[in-house]
Structure formats: C-alpha cells, structure tokens
Amino acid sequence: GDRAERLDGVQVYRFEQEVPEQVIRSVPVPGPLVTAGADEVEAEVVHRSTRTVLVEPVSGVVVSEEESPVTALRGPDGADGAVLLAGTFGWTEASVDDALARAEDVRAERGELRTAVRWGAAGTGAVLLVPPAATHGLALEFVEQETH
C-alpha cells in the first residue's frame, strides 16, 4: 500500500501499483511448455506486474522505481506453463543517489522561492504605502508647471 518511509535518511512516500493479470495474446507453442504429451498447442501469454515508486514529497521527485513483471504461458486447460520473464528490475544505487540529490536541489530552490515571495510580498506592501505621497507630489508639481 501507499505509506511513508525513509530512504537514506530522507522521508519518501511509497506507492505500489498492481498491474492485474491479463492475456496479451495466444500463440502456438510446443506442448511440453504448457502440458504433458502434446506436440503443439495454443497457449495464452499472460502478464502481470507490481510497480513500486518512491517519491520525495516536498520536491515531487521520483527517487526510486522498481518493477516486478511476470510473463508466462497458460495452457488450453488453464494450467500455468513455462515462465517467459520474471524478475525485479530497479534503479541502480547511483541512480537513486542522483535522484535524492535532485530532490534536495528542488527542495532548496523551492525554499529560496518561498523566501523571495515573502520578501517580495513585504516589498509590495511597502511600495503600496509610498505611491500616494509620491503621486500627490508629482501631481502638484505637474499642476504648477501648467499654470506658469
């Protein structure tokens, strides 16, 4: 399920997705791959998978991903046959380290942006206080120039 955990000291969210079993196609195969004693039979190629993604929540950067697919044959009687592909495929440690560094960079940039927005908002407030006096002085000066 989805939950929070730590990866190299960084809090991440784990998301797991199950790709349900589905028939990809039917193919003729040698009988022994799916059943005993047949020369050639029609078999279904069946695929399912589990995908796990780890995301650093502040930056939104995916810091690790793992896929565990299983592709197998299923005989005409519904019995499981030979496995064509099974394993767990994931990022290398170096890729995870790079992604964690990227997440840290994004977090730092967002922190700087938040600080700039706060200062910008405070500066806008100060500027909003100044224009009435400045505008009044300019208006008077402009009026005086026209009257001469």
Side-chain angles (χ1 to χ4, degrees), residues 38-67:
D39 288 338
E40 184 175 281
V41 296
E42 194 71 16
E44 294 177 328
V45 178
V46 181
H47 177 81
R48 69 179 182 278
S49 186
T50 301
R51 177 177 294 138
T52 303
V53 178
L54 300 180
V55 178
E56 193 286 321
V58 175
S59 66
V61 172
V62 173
V63 295
S64 180
E65 198 167 348
E66 188 176 271
E67 183 98 19

Side-chain angles (χ1 to χ4, degrees), residues 107-125:
R107 281 198 318 262
E109 288 171 9
R110 287 191 178 166
E112 291 168 8
L113 179 61
R114 274 195 295 276
T115 300
V117 168
R118 278 197 298 271
W119 279 104
T124 301

